[in-house]
Amino acid sequence: MIGFFCFGKNAQVPAGFAAGLYEGENVCDIGLGMKPELTGLGLGAAFMKRGMEFAVKHYAPSQLRLSIAAFNKRAIRLYEKMGFQEVGSFPSKETVFLVMNVEL
């Protein structure tokens, strides 16, 4: 196993609801994680692309949305390369999360 994806409510951080950042029609939330030993090897874009393709095929959204810890700069750079843009942020416990969307 190299990583995982989750979709819909399973991909949302509960504190994002209070911030009103999980609103919208025809949006599919996507969550993911890659095996730590495989990060930084240039595999992220292909991994992310497969997850995005799965979401489009099975959920047919007009947007994909993800929440990412603000300290995870490497992942944020990848998501920006994949077309995601920051649309908001919220605190959860001791971590700030960014919410990022991409139009399909």
Side-chain angles (χ1 to χ4, degrees):
M1 182 151 130
I2 65 166
F4 72 90
F5 284 93
C6 57
F7 302 93
K9 292 206 181 288
N10 291 328
Q12 297 174 341
V13 178
F17 290 102
L21 293 171
Y22 292 140
E23 306 285 326
E25 302 261 336
N26 204 24
V27 179
C28 180
D29 286 281
I30 185 170
L32 64 142
M34 182 179 268
K35 192 173 187 177
E37 303 87 66
L38 299 176
T39 62
L41 301 177
L43 304 172
F47 183 69
M48 184 69 182
K49 182 180 177 194
R50 294 288 185 231
M52 292 171 70
E53 289 170 347
F54 181 93
V56 168
K57 180 178 180 181
H58 292 279
Y59 301 104
S62 59
Q63 292 181 55
L64 294 175
R65 175 174 53 209
L66 57 80
S67 300
I68 179 71
F71 65 77
N72 195 342
K73 302 298 184 193
R74 188 164 48 189
I76 293 167
R77 279 193 304 274
L78 170 66
Y79 302 150
E80 289 172 341
K81 287 181 186 177
M82 303 299 290
F84 284 83
Q85 297 179 330
E86 183 181 341
V87 296
S89 64
F90 61 90
S92 179
K93 299 179 183 171
E94 296 177 13
T95 302
V96 173
F97 284 84
L98 306 181
V99 176
M100 302 179 81
N101 285 11
V102 64
E103 296 283 333
L104 302 172

